[in-house]
């Protein structure tokens, strides 16, 4: 298991969140009824609504992802529901098969507060991203999209990340306007295998 950038979360809390994600993914194959975690069993800070992301990979290849930058529920429930979505509802990938579980890697990202980014052009944003590996959020009218920080194993160019961000928001590749809202964010991360 690898941890980095804990900030306000200590190793035990991050490990608890990783266990919640593991449980959410594995219970899909159980004959028993789903058992949601009970938030009151956990530290109060984990009971607060907090943005998060879940990435699933097999042999360093992405097989599912879910981002919840503005959840209404506790971080505990955001991780539980996000793990299920990333494993079985990410429309870009086939739902996970049981035989993949033994090789599945989980990466949890706790999203720190978003910081507005004020750039007058896409070139300025590209220059910024060359020196800052951070997640991005864009909103234009009712359209919005998010991308998480680069995976260390799958580094994308700043331009590719911006195009991915726009695509997720339903915007054209050429889109840039003075009315869009653009924010960057950092994350605390923990990674581990689904099965220890």
């Amino acid at each position: 298991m690898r941890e980095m950038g804990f900030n306000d979360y200590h190793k035990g809390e991050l490990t608890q969140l990783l266990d919640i994600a593991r449980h959410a993914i594995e219970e899909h194959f159980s004959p028993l009824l789903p058992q949601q975690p009970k938030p009151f069993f956990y530290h109060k800070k984990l009971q607060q609504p907090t943005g998060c992301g879940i990435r699933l990979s097999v042999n360093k290849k992405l097989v599912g992802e879910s981002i919840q930058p503005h959840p209404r529920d506790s971080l505990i429930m955001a991780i539980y529901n996000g793990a299920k979505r990333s494993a079985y509802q990410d429309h870009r990938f086939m739902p996970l098969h049981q035989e993949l579980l033994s090789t599945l890697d989980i990466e949890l990202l706790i999203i720190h507060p978003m910081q507005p980014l004020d750039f007058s052009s896409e070139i300025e944003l590209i220059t910024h991203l060359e020196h800052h590996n951070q997640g991005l959020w864009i909103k234009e009218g009712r359209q919005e999209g998010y991308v998480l920080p680069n995976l260390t194993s799958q580094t994308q160019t700043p331009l590719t990340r911006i195009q991915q961000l726009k695509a997720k928001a339903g915007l054209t590749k050429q889109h840039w306007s003075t009315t869009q809202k653009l924010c960057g964010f950092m994350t605390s991360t923990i990674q581990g295998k689904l099965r220890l």
Side-chain angles (χ1 to χ4, degrees):
M1 189 183 324
R2 178 171 69 88
E3 303 90 32
M4 45 189 186
F6 298 126
N7 284 350
D8 295 334
Y9 299 92
H10 62 69
K11 183 177 178 178
E13 292 165 340
L14 292 170
T15 301
Q16 284 181 321
L17 294 173
L18 190 57
D19 287 342
I20 289 168
R22 288 178 173 131
H23 168 73
I25 293 167
E26 290 210 272
E27 77 175 358
H28 181 80
F29 299 102
S30 170
L32 303 174
L33 290 173
Q35 296 288 318
Q36 292 186 352
K38 296 177 173 50
F40 55 84
F41 285 151
Y42 298 89
H43 190 280
K44 288 191 178 202
K45 119 175 61 164
L46 303 182
Q47 297 177 34
Q48 303 303 311
T50 306
C52 65
I54 294 104
R55 283 183 177 137
L56 304 177
S57 59
V58 173
N59 298 323
K60 298 185 178 180
K61 182 178 178 184
L62 189 68
V63 296
E65 183 178 65
S66 173
I67 306 170
Q68 271 192 296
H70 306 294
R72 295 186 182 130
D73 292 328
S74 67
L75 177 57
I76 295 158
M77 292 309 299
I79 293 288
Y80 176 80
N81 292 323
K84 286 181 173 292
R85 275 194 305 278
S86 62
Y88 308 111
Q89 298 170 5
D90 187 336
H91 65 274
R92 299 172 296 167
F93 305 99
M94 293 293 293
L96 281 183
H97 296 284
Q98 194 164 9
E99 58 270 13
L100 290 178
L101 298 186
S102 61
T103 56
L104 187 70
D105 290 307
I106 304 172
E107 181 180 24
L108 301 183
L109 301 101
I110 313 302
I111 297 174
H112 298 208
M114 295 196 182
Q115 303 297 320
L117 298 175
D118 186 21
F119 297 109
S120 59
S121 71
E122 189 172 288
I123 297 295
E124 287 182 15
L125 178 58
I126 289 170
T127 301
H128 172 79
L129 292 176
E130 286 172 349
H131 305 286
H132 300 89
N133 180 24
Q134 59 186 163
L136 296 171
W137 170 72
I138 192 170
K139 182 174 176 64
E140 180 69 78
R142 294 184 176 198
Q143 296 172 278
E144 63 181 314
Y146 306 86
V147 291
L148 292 170
N150 258 331
L151 281 165
T152 53
S153 61
Q154 296 178 339
T155 304
Q156 296 176 317
T157 67
L159 180 58
T160 301
R161 295 186 66 227
I162 293 167
Q163 289 174 346
Q164 185 181 55
L165 175 70
K166 291 176 184 180
K168 285 186 174 183
L171 302 170
T172 65
K173 286 183 180 181
Q174 297 78 24
H175 178 83
W176 191 268
S177 83
T178 57
T179 58
Q180 70 189 11
K181 293 181 182 175
L182 185 65
C183 291
F185 58 88
M186 301 303 290
T187 60
S188 294
T189 305
I190 185 168
Q191 293 178 333
K193 292 281 186 191
L194 176 69
R195 293 183 174 161
L196 301 175

